[in-house]
Amino acid sequence: MSVSDPVDVLRRFNRGYTQRVGALEESFLGLGMPLGTARLLYEIGVEPGTTRSLRARLGLDSGYLSRLLRRLEDDGLVALGPDPVDRRRRRVALTAAGRRTWDELERRSAERAHRLVDPLTERQRARLSAALAEADLLVRAATVELETVAPTAPLARRAVAAYLTEVGTRIGGAGTFDVEAELAADAGRLAPPHGAFVVATSAGAPVACGGVQALADGGAEIKRMWVDDAWRGAGLGSRLLRRLEELARELGHAVVHLDTNAALTEAIAMYERAGYRQVERYNDNPHATHFFAKDLT
Amino acid sequence: MSVSDPVDVLRRFNRGYTQRVGALEESFLGLGMPLGTARLLYEIGVEPGTTRSLRARLGLDSGYLSRLLRRLEDDGLVALGPDPVDRRRRRVALTAAGRRTWDELERRSAERAHRLVDPLTERQRARLSAALAEADLLVRAATVELETVAPTAPLARRAVAAYLTEVGTRIGGAGTFDVEAELAADAGRLAPPHGAFVVATSAGAPVACGGVQALADGGAEIKRMWVDDAWRGAGLGSRLLRRLEELARELGHAVVHLDTNAALTEAIAMYERAGYRQVERYNDNPHATHFFAKDLT
DNA sequence: CAATTTCTCTGACTAGAGTCAGCGAAATGA
DNA sequence: TCATTTCGCTGACTCTAGTCAGAGAAATTG
């Protein structure tokens, strides 16, 4: 067995790691709370939300979640209130007592981690840190899911809003966007029959997106390419790009265009790596400074 | 929270990893077999044994194990027979069908790992591989346990034998050792009241060792320093060295000596990093070419 | 040889984790 | 506005995982 076959390395790691460190999870126990309940409490503490968002994050059945929440509520650890946006849903947040329990969970978990790292020297800890951060990013990237969704879907709207915010700040305050107007424009052009929109999600949260639309004078155009800051460097951009090109091909196009701004240096580098060549300005987008095209062979 | 604090990175990794890949464990499912049963089958496949040894390895209740075994037997996957040594116990081994199921478990586990790695590019896979291998080594190293044992203990004998084999091959066939004679010599000098022997174990197997003895003309000497090939580069050597110096101090010595061979380059580098300075030959060891000493402040 | 201990197995439990169908309230679309 | 869809909640389940006490066979001890 080759030491460097990623599959073998992964399996070897997995076996060793879950045996030694997997016990970390069980640190949730010892608070007299079942694991599922503790996991939920922990997740609420990390970021409160609606029943819906929690379900997505933890992958739970709605009935099951409902029951778990009730138990936490009975114990006085969480407070439930109606969601003003959609009164069928409920918003969940920790109470003061819940926060104290959460802090205790945090403390115990950190203590366990600390004990594991303790026998290592400073240098080794740094090495472990770097290795785990790298592995974390790549594993996360590998498990991201690409979904084609309507540009009006909440997921898509959030992703595009994030895109606009970032581009706005990157290219300077001058050209900030009217988010609602932009979203409204997307609704038609980035949807079938002439377009498509793809969101990359991780544990239910959007981490990257991109769309294709048909250009008036033929060919397709890729728009709204965005990768969350924390997810850069894991090849998510090129994966998304490949998917969008595929969609453009399915829509019957033989060439894709895209425009971008000089400030978005990583994006430009990625387009070049992906085989895009720089072309003349093909639209009047005031925010665009660079224009690219690629033939879909 | 600093991104590079090892404790935080470890915890972040842990959360993401067990969520995404921890499911790997669940790959045991999908054979229509509950997790516990599959784990037991797997363990029997790795190494058959008595009910008793399996209970110890998996940490199961005897009643529970009994039930699980019966289920496996009913399914024709394992064969149970009385243990000739103690007829209250039973010996357990896989049947041919059990072996096939075991192989299938292996195959699926590998396939899952493969699927995880699949969306990544070649380069990313290599990065992931390297990162996991590094993390694996360090996590293993962090969970290694140092025990002071008698040099006659089976664990110690195995470690010293490995040491002698390695040194023998490294410094060339010329000076191979009489293993039994060397072990007999250690028995007296590397044990209390004038010496000590330390073995580093991981999951019960020796992975490094080292001993201290008193020199005739004063001072202590470190001997039998060995780190298993697969465990190099994780700082196990320096950790062991520190422990041995501590033991030398406790034995009342103010200075430690050690000798080594020019062929053992990593060891020499480690001694220098640890503050050892080269000194004149202080014994007539024919295998030694380099001599070191360090003051215990 | 008898008494005691050790060992596995059985039966009777409990709690956790999760699934599924269906209900009623709220939101959405025609 | 009315029909449809979405949403969360409830009740009724199932399956795992694991605990515990006690029975009976085998080994050990006095």
Side-chain angles (χ1 to χ4, degrees), chain B residues 51-52 55 63 66-67 88 90:
Chain B
T51 41
R52 182 160 192 68
R55 247 184 30 227
S66 177
R67 237 177 294 274
R88 288 171 304 183
R90 294 208 280 167

PDB file of all heavy atoms in Angstrom, chain B residues 51-52 55 63 66-67 88 90, chain C residues 5-12:
ATOM      1  N   THR B  51     -13.988 -14.676  23.616  1.00  0.00           N
ATOM      2  CA  THR B  51     -14.993 -13.702  24.008  1.00  0.00           C
ATOM      3  C   THR B  51     -14.352 -12.674  24.926  1.00  0.00           C
ATOM      4  O   THR B  51     -14.594 -11.471  24.794  1.00  0.00           O
ATOM      5  CB  THR B  51     -16.126 -14.406  24.772  1.00  0.00           C
ATOM      6  OG1 THR B  51     -15.557 -15.369  25.646  1.00  0.00           O
ATOM      7  CG2 THR B  51     -17.051 -15.109  23.810  1.00  0.00           C
ATOM      8  N   ARG B  52     -13.538 -13.149  25.817  1.00  0.00           N
ATOM      9  CA  ARG B  52     -12.917 -12.275  26.797  1.00  0.00           C
ATOM     10  C   ARG B  52     -12.046 -11.190  26.141  1.00  0.00           C
ATOM     11  O   ARG B  52     -12.143 -10.012  26.461  1.00  0.00           O
ATOM     12  CB  ARG B  52     -12.053 -13.131  27.714  1.00  0.00           C
ATOM     13  CG  ARG B  52     -11.391 -12.345  28.792  1.00  0.00           C
ATOM     14  CD  ARG B  52     -10.950 -13.216  29.937  1.00  0.00           C
ATOM     15  NE  ARG B  52     -10.589 -12.370  31.048  1.00  0.00           N
ATOM     16  CZ  ARG B  52     -11.460 -11.648  31.724  1.00  0.00           C
ATOM     17  NH1 ARG B  52     -12.739 -11.691  31.406  1.00  0.00           N
ATOM     18  NH2 ARG B  52     -11.059 -10.895  32.729  1.00  0.00           N
ATOM     19  N   ARG B  55     -14.073  -8.602  24.379  1.00  0.00           N
ATOM     20  CA  ARG B  55     -14.723  -7.685  25.307  1.00  0.00           C
ATOM     21  C   ARG B  55     -13.761  -6.595  25.723  1.00  0.00           C
ATOM     22  O   ARG B  55     -14.116  -5.424  25.797  1.00  0.00           O
ATOM     23  CB  ARG B  55     -15.235  -8.426  26.528  1.00  0.00           C
ATOM     24  CG  ARG B  55     -16.724  -8.420  26.565  1.00  0.00           C
ATOM     25  CD  ARG B  55     -17.275  -9.058  27.795  1.00  0.00           C
ATOM     26  NE  ARG B  55     -16.443  -8.936  28.953  1.00  0.00           N
ATOM     27  CZ  ARG B  55     -16.158  -9.946  29.747  1.00  0.00           C
ATOM     28  NH1 ARG B  55     -16.620 -11.147  29.471  1.00  0.00           N
ATOM     29  NH2 ARG B  55     -15.421  -9.753  30.805  1.00  0.00           N
ATOM     30  N   GLY B  63     -22.925  -9.443  28.565  1.00  0.00           N
ATOM     31  CA  GLY B  63     -24.236  -9.823  28.058  1.00  0.00           C
ATOM     32  C   GLY B  63     -24.466  -9.303  26.660  1.00  0.00           C
ATOM     33  O   GLY B  63     -24.965 -10.008  25.777  1.00  0.00           O
ATOM     34  N   SER B  66     -22.402 -11.169  24.107  1.00  0.00           N
ATOM     35  CA  SER B  66     -22.986 -12.483  23.891  1.00  0.00           C
ATOM     36  C   SER B  66     -24.103 -12.405  22.851  1.00  0.00           C
ATOM     37  O   SER B  66     -24.175 -13.200  21.918  1.00  0.00           O
ATOM     38  CB  SER B  66     -23.522 -12.983  25.218  1.00  0.00           C
ATOM     39  OG  SER B  66     -24.156 -14.211  25.059  1.00  0.00           O
ATOM     40  N   ARG B  67     -24.950 -11.402  23.027  1.00  0.00           N
ATOM     41  CA  ARG B  67     -26.057 -11.231  22.097  1.00  0.00           C
ATOM     42  C   ARG B  67     -25.566 -10.906  20.685  1.00  0.00           C
ATOM     43  O   ARG B  67     -26.045 -11.469  19.695  1.00  0.00           O
ATOM     44  CB  ARG B  67     -26.940 -10.087  22.579  1.00  0.00           C
ATOM     45  CG  ARG B  67     -28.369 -10.461  22.799  1.00  0.00           C
ATOM     46  CD  ARG B  67     -29.102  -9.269  23.350  1.00  0.00           C
ATOM     47  NE  ARG B  67     -28.598  -8.959  24.681  1.00  0.00           N
ATOM     48  CZ  ARG B  67     -29.055  -9.533  25.773  1.00  0.00           C
ATOM     49  NH1 ARG B  67     -30.014 -10.422  25.704  1.00  0.00           N
ATOM     50  NH2 ARG B  67     -28.563  -9.221  26.943  1.00  0.00           N
ATOM     51  N   ARG B  88     -14.955 -22.471  29.872  1.00  0.00           N
ATOM     52  CA  ARG B  88     -16.064 -21.545  30.076  1.00  0.00           C
ATOM     53  C   ARG B  88     -16.095 -20.525  28.943  1.00  0.00           C
ATOM     54  O   ARG B  88     -17.122 -20.025  28.549  1.00  0.00           O
ATOM     55  CB  ARG B  88     -15.884 -20.791  31.404  1.00  0.00           C
ATOM     56  CG  ARG B  88     -16.125 -21.658  32.605  1.00  0.00           C
ATOM     57  CD  ARG B  88     -15.709 -20.921  33.856  1.00  0.00           C
ATOM     58  NE  ARG B  88     -14.319 -20.482  33.789  1.00  0.00           N
ATOM     59  CZ  ARG B  88     -13.693 -19.868  34.778  1.00  0.00           C
ATOM     60  NH1 ARG B  88     -14.324 -19.593  35.897  1.00  0.00           N
ATOM     61  NH2 ARG B  88     -12.437 -19.514  34.659  1.00  0.00           N
ATOM     62  N   ARG B  90     -15.234 -18.974  25.016  1.00  0.00           N
ATOM     63  CA  ARG B  90     -15.387 -19.476  23.662  1.00  0.00           C
ATOM     64  C   ARG B  90     -14.433 -18.742  22.721  1.00  0.00           C
ATOM     65  O   ARG B  90     -14.130 -17.574  22.909  1.00  0.00           O
ATOM     66  CB  ARG B  90     -16.830 -19.284  23.201  1.00  0.00           C
ATOM     67  CG  ARG B  90     -17.769 -20.145  24.027  1.00  0.00           C
ATOM     68  CD  ARG B  90     -18.986 -20.518  23.265  1.00  0.00           C
ATOM     69  NE  ARG B  90     -19.967 -19.454  23.225  1.00  0.00           N
ATOM     70  CZ  ARG B  90     -21.001 -19.463  22.402  1.00  0.00           C
ATOM     71  NH1 ARG B  90     -21.167 -20.459  21.546  1.00  0.00           N
ATOM     72  NH2 ARG B  90     -21.868 -18.489  22.427  1.00  0.00           N
TER      73      ARG B  90
ATOM     74  P    DT C   5     -15.589 -16.180  47.389  1.00  0.00           P
ATOM     75  OP1  DT C   5     -14.740 -15.242  48.144  1.00  0.00           O
ATOM     76  OP2  DT C   5     -17.066 -16.035  47.365  1.00  0.00           O
ATOM     77  O5'  DT C   5     -15.053 -16.212  45.888  1.00  0.00           O
ATOM     78  C5'  DT C   5     -13.719 -16.685  45.638  1.00  0.00           C
ATOM     79  C4'  DT C   5     -13.547 -16.909  44.167  1.00  0.00           C
ATOM     80  O4'  DT C   5     -14.348 -18.024  43.717  1.00  0.00           O
ATOM     81  C3'  DT C   5     -13.944 -15.712  43.296  1.00  0.00           C
ATOM     82  O3'  DT C   5     -12.822 -15.371  42.489  1.00  0.00           O
ATOM     83  C2'  DT C   5     -15.121 -16.217  42.469  1.00  0.00           C
ATOM     84  C1'  DT C   5     -14.856 -17.722  42.437  1.00  0.00           C
ATOM     85  N1   DT C   5     -16.039 -18.593  42.223  1.00  0.00           N
ATOM     86  C2   DT C   5     -16.023 -19.506  41.201  1.00  0.00           C
ATOM     87  O2   DT C   5     -15.082 -19.630  40.451  1.00  0.00           O
ATOM     88  N3   DT C   5     -17.149 -20.294  41.100  1.00  0.00           N
ATOM     89  C4   DT C   5     -18.273 -20.249  41.906  1.00  0.00           C
ATOM     90  O4   DT C   5     -19.218 -21.008  41.706  1.00  0.00           O
ATOM     91  C5   DT C   5     -18.240 -19.270  42.965  1.00  0.00           C
ATOM     92  C7   DT C   5     -19.413 -19.137  43.887  1.00  0.00           C
ATOM     93  C6   DT C   5     -17.136 -18.494  43.069  1.00  0.00           C
ATOM     94  P    DT C   6     -12.833 -14.114  41.557  1.00  0.00           P
ATOM     95  OP1  DT C   6     -11.471 -13.572  41.521  1.00  0.00           O
ATOM     96  OP2  DT C   6     -13.997 -13.275  41.892  1.00  0.00           O
ATOM     97  O5'  DT C   6     -13.113 -14.792  40.137  1.00  0.00           O
ATOM     98  C5'  DT C   6     -12.248 -15.834  39.681  1.00  0.00           C
ATOM     99  C4'  DT C   6     -12.759 -16.336  38.359  1.00  0.00           C
ATOM    100  O4'  DT C   6     -13.954 -17.138  38.565  1.00  0.00           O
ATOM    101  C3'  DT C   6     -13.150 -15.224  37.376  1.00  0.00           C
ATOM    102  O3'  DT C   6     -12.515 -15.509  36.148  1.00  0.00           O
ATOM    103  C2'  DT C   6     -14.666 -15.319  37.288  1.00  0.00           C
ATOM    104  C1'  DT C   6     -14.891 -16.800  37.570  1.00  0.00           C
ATOM    105  N1   DT C   6     -16.226 -17.189  38.104  1.00  0.00           N
ATOM    106  C2   DT C   6     -16.874 -18.248  37.539  1.00  0.00           C
ATOM    107  O2   DT C   6     -16.409 -18.890  36.607  1.00  0.00           O
ATOM    108  N3   DT C   6     -18.087 -18.555  38.102  1.00  0.00           N
ATOM    109  C4   DT C   6     -18.706 -17.920  39.169  1.00  0.00           C
ATOM    110  O4   DT C   6     -19.794 -18.296  39.570  1.00  0.00           O
ATOM    111  C5   DT C   6     -17.971 -16.807  39.711  1.00  0.00           C
ATOM    112  C7   DT C   6     -18.550 -16.034  40.851  1.00  0.00           C
ATOM    113  C6   DT C   6     -16.779 -16.489  39.165  1.00  0.00           C
ATOM    114  P    DC C   7     -12.415 -14.432  35.003  1.00  0.00           P
ATOM    115  OP1  DC C   7     -11.156 -14.642  34.280  1.00  0.00           O
ATOM    116  OP2  DC C   7     -12.758 -13.102  35.560  1.00  0.00           O
ATOM    117  O5'  DC C   7     -13.616 -14.883  34.065  1.00  0.00           O
ATOM    118  C5'  DC C   7     -13.534 -16.165  33.439  1.00  0.00           C
ATOM    119  C4'  DC C   7     -14.862 -16.572  32.864  1.00  0.00           C
ATOM    120  O4'  DC C   7     -15.770 -16.880  33.939  1.00  0.00           O
ATOM    121  C3'  DC C   7     -15.578 -15.467  32.093  1.00  0.00           C
ATOM    122  O3'  DC C   7     -15.356 -15.654  30.701  1.00  0.00           O
ATOM    123  C2'  DC C   7     -17.051 -15.690  32.407  1.00  0.00           C
ATOM    124  C1'  DC C   7     -17.068 -16.819  33.399  1.00  0.00           C
ATOM    125  N1   DC C   7     -18.006 -16.551  34.522  1.00  0.00           N
ATOM    126  C2   DC C   7     -19.113 -17.367  34.661  1.00  0.00           C
ATOM    127  O2   DC C   7     -19.284 -18.303  33.859  1.00  0.00           O
ATOM    128  N3   DC C   7     -19.993 -17.125  35.667  1.00  0.00           N
ATOM    129  C4   DC C   7     -19.774 -16.109  36.508  1.00  0.00           C
ATOM    130  N4   DC C   7     -20.651 -15.900  37.485  1.00  0.00           N
ATOM    131  C5   DC C   7     -18.633 -15.264  36.383  1.00  0.00           C
ATOM    132  C6   DC C   7     -17.785 -15.517  35.372  1.00  0.00           C
ATOM    133  P    DT C   8     -15.978 -14.653  29.670  1.00  0.00           P
ATOM    134  OP1  DT C   8     -15.127 -14.680  28.484  1.00  0.00           O
ATOM    135  OP2  DT C   8     -16.302 -13.384  30.343  1.00  0.00           O
ATOM    136  O5'  DT C   8     -17.371 -15.357  29.304  1.00  0.00           O
ATOM    137  C5'  DT C   8     -17.365 -16.670  28.756  1.00  0.00           C
ATOM    138  C4'  DT C   8     -18.786 -17.186  28.679  1.00  0.00           C
ATOM    139  O4'  DT C   8     -19.389 -17.121  29.991  1.00  0.00           O
ATOM    140  C3'  DT C   8     -19.702 -16.400  27.746  1.00  0.00           C
ATOM    141  O3'  DT C   8     -20.299 -17.325  26.845  1.00  0.00           O
ATOM    142  C2'  DT C   8     -20.724 -15.745  28.661  1.00  0.00           C
ATOM    143  C1'  DT C   8     -20.717 -16.671  29.871  1.00  0.00           C
ATOM    144  N1   DT C   8     -21.059 -16.025  31.170  1.00  0.00           N
ATOM    145  C2   DT C   8     -22.123 -16.501  31.892  1.00  0.00           C
ATOM    146  O2   DT C   8     -22.823 -17.426  31.531  1.00  0.00           O
ATOM    147  N3   DT C   8     -22.347 -15.841  33.081  1.00  0.00           N
ATOM    148  C4   DT C   8     -21.624 -14.788  33.603  1.00  0.00           C
ATOM    149  O4   DT C   8     -21.921 -14.288  34.682  1.00  0.00           O
ATOM    150  C5   DT C   8     -20.517 -14.335  32.787  1.00  0.00           C
ATOM    151  C7   DT C   8     -19.669 -13.196  33.254  1.00  0.00           C
ATOM    152  C6   DT C   8     -20.291 -14.968  31.626  1.00  0.00           C
ATOM    153  P    DC C   9     -21.161 -16.816  25.642  1.00  0.00           P
ATOM    154  OP1  DC C   9     -21.046 -17.812  24.571  1.00  0.00           O
ATOM    155  OP2  DC C   9     -20.843 -15.396  25.377  1.00  0.00           O
ATOM    156  O5'  DC C   9     -22.636 -16.902  26.240  1.00  0.00           O
ATOM    157  C5'  DC C   9     -23.164 -18.184  26.580  1.00  0.00           C
ATOM    158  C4'  DC C   9     -24.482 -18.001  27.307  1.00  0.00           C
ATOM    159  O4'  DC C   9     -24.250 -17.270  28.524  1.00  0.00           O
ATOM    160  C3'  DC C   9     -25.528 -17.205  26.532  1.00  0.00           C
ATOM    161  O3'  DC C   9     -26.661 -18.039  26.330  1.00  0.00           O
ATOM    162  C2'  DC C   9     -25.846 -16.006  27.416  1.00  0.00           C
ATOM    163  C1'  DC C   9     -25.357 -16.448  28.778  1.00  0.00           C
ATOM    164  N1   DC C   9     -24.882 -15.337  29.650  1.00  0.00           N
ATOM    165  C2   DC C   9     -25.506 -15.116  30.892  1.00  0.00           C
ATOM    166  O2   DC C   9     -26.457 -15.846  31.221  1.00  0.00           O
ATOM    167  N3   DC C   9     -25.061 -14.123  31.690  1.00  0.00           N
ATOM    168  C4   DC C   9     -24.026 -13.370  31.311  1.00  0.00           C
ATOM    169  N4   DC C   9     -23.617 -12.417  32.144  1.00  0.00           N
ATOM    170  C5   DC C   9     -23.366 -13.580  30.063  1.00  0.00           C
ATOM    171  C6   DC C   9     -23.834 -14.566  29.268  1.00  0.00           C
ATOM    172  P    DT C  10     -27.769 -17.556  25.323  1.00  0.00           P
ATOM    173  OP1  DT C  10     -28.214 -18.764  24.589  1.00  0.00           O
ATOM    174  OP2  DT C  10     -27.301 -16.363  24.588  1.00  0.00           O
ATOM    175  O5'  DT C  10     -28.945 -17.097  26.287  1.00  0.00           O
ATOM    176  C5'  DT C  10     -29.394 -17.965  27.310  1.00  0.00           C
ATOM    177  C4'  DT C  10     -30.344 -17.222  28.232  1.00  0.00           C
ATOM    178  O4'  DT C  10     -29.583 -16.318  29.074  1.00  0.00           O
ATOM    179  C3'  DT C  10     -31.376 -16.352  27.505  1.00  0.00           C
ATOM    180  O3'  DT C  10     -32.674 -16.870  27.796  1.00  0.00           O
ATOM    181  C2'  DT C  10     -31.175 -14.944  28.056  1.00  0.00           C
ATOM    182  C1'  DT C  10     -30.354 -15.168  29.311  1.00  0.00           C
ATOM    183  N1   DT C  10     -29.364 -14.084  29.613  1.00  0.00           N
ATOM    184  C2   DT C  10     -29.438 -13.446  30.822  1.00  0.00           C
ATOM    185  O2   DT C  10     -30.281 -13.709  31.660  1.00  0.00           O
ATOM    186  N3   DT C  10     -28.476 -12.483  31.014  1.00  0.00           N
ATOM    187  C4   DT C  10     -27.479 -12.120  30.129  1.00  0.00           C
ATOM    188  O4   DT C  10     -26.676 -11.240  30.430  1.00  0.00           O
ATOM    189  C5   DT C  10     -27.456 -12.821  28.883  1.00  0.00           C
ATOM    190  C7   DT C  10     -26.424 -12.489  27.858  1.00  0.00           C
ATOM    191  C6   DT C  10     -28.391 -13.756  28.676  1.00  0.00           C
ATOM    192  P    DG C  11     -33.936 -16.222  27.104  1.00  0.00           P
ATOM    193  OP1  DG C  11     -34.929 -17.304  26.959  1.00  0.00           O
ATOM    194  OP2  DG C  11     -33.504 -15.451  25.933  1.00  0.00           O
ATOM    195  O5'  DG C  11     -34.468 -15.200  28.212  1.00  0.00           O
ATOM    196  C5'  DG C  11     -34.489 -15.605  29.579  1.00  0.00           C
ATOM    197  C4'  DG C  11     -34.975 -14.459  30.440  1.00  0.00           C
ATOM    198  O4'  DG C  11     -33.861 -13.577  30.741  1.00  0.00           O
ATOM    199  C3'  DG C  11     -36.046 -13.583  29.796  1.00  0.00           C
ATOM    200  O3'  DG C  11     -37.004 -13.245  30.801  1.00  0.00           O
ATOM    201  C2'  DG C  11     -35.276 -12.358  29.310  1.00  0.00           C
ATOM    202  C1'  DG C  11     -34.171 -12.245  30.353  1.00  0.00           C
ATOM    203  N9   DG C  11     -32.937 -11.637  29.875  1.00  0.00           N
ATOM    204  C8   DG C  11     -32.328 -11.829  28.655  1.00  0.00           C
ATOM    205  N7   DG C  11     -31.213 -11.166  28.523  1.00  0.00           N
ATOM    206  C5   DG C  11     -31.064 -10.494  29.731  1.00  0.00           C
ATOM    207  C6   DG C  11     -30.048  -9.617  30.185  1.00  0.00           C
ATOM    208  O6   DG C  11     -29.029  -9.252  29.581  1.00  0.00           O
ATOM    209  N1   DG C  11     -30.289  -9.159  31.466  1.00  0.00           N
ATOM    210  C2   DG C  11     -31.369  -9.503  32.227  1.00  0.00           C
ATOM    211  N2   DG C  11     -31.427  -8.958  33.445  1.00  0.00           N
ATOM    212  N3   DG C  11     -32.332 -10.322  31.831  1.00  0.00           N
ATOM    213  C4   DG C  11     -32.119 -10.783  30.569  1.00  0.00           C
ATOM    214  P    DA C  12     -38.294 -12.371  30.455  1.00  0.00           P
ATOM    215  OP1  DA C  12     -39.432 -12.968  31.177  1.00  0.00           O
ATOM    216  OP2  DA C  12     -38.353 -12.169  28.983  1.00  0.00           O
ATOM    217  O5'  DA C  12     -37.927 -10.980  31.134  1.00  0.00           O
ATOM    218  C5'  DA C  12     -37.406 -10.956  32.470  1.00  0.00           C
ATOM    219  C4'  DA C  12     -37.127  -9.504  32.843  1.00  0.00           C
ATOM    220  O4'  DA C  12     -35.825  -9.125  32.320  1.00  0.00           O
ATOM    221  C3'  DA C  12     -38.136  -8.531  32.221  1.00  0.00           C
ATOM    222  O3'  DA C  12     -38.450  -7.513  33.148  1.00  0.00           O
ATOM    223  C2'  DA C  12     -37.386  -7.985  31.016  1.00  0.00           C
ATOM    224  C1'  DA C  12     -35.967  -7.940  31.562  1.00  0.00           C
ATOM    225  N9   DA C  12     -34.934  -7.921  30.538  1.00  0.00           N
ATOM    226  C8   DA C  12     -34.940  -8.542  29.311  1.00  0.00           C
ATOM    227  N7   DA C  12     -33.869  -8.327  28.588  1.00  0.00           N
ATOM    228  C5   DA C  12     -33.093  -7.504  29.393  1.00  0.00           C
ATOM    229  C6   DA C  12     -31.833  -6.925  29.209  1.00  0.00           C
ATOM    230  N6   DA C  12     -31.105  -7.091  28.105  1.00  0.00           N
ATOM    231  N1   DA C  12     -31.343  -6.161  30.213  1.00  0.00           N
ATOM    232  C2   DA C  12     -32.086  -5.998  31.319  1.00  0.00           C
ATOM    233  N3   DA C  12     -33.283  -6.496  31.606  1.00  0.00           N
ATOM    234  C4   DA C  12     -33.734  -7.254  30.589  1.00  0.00           C
TER     235       DA C  12
END
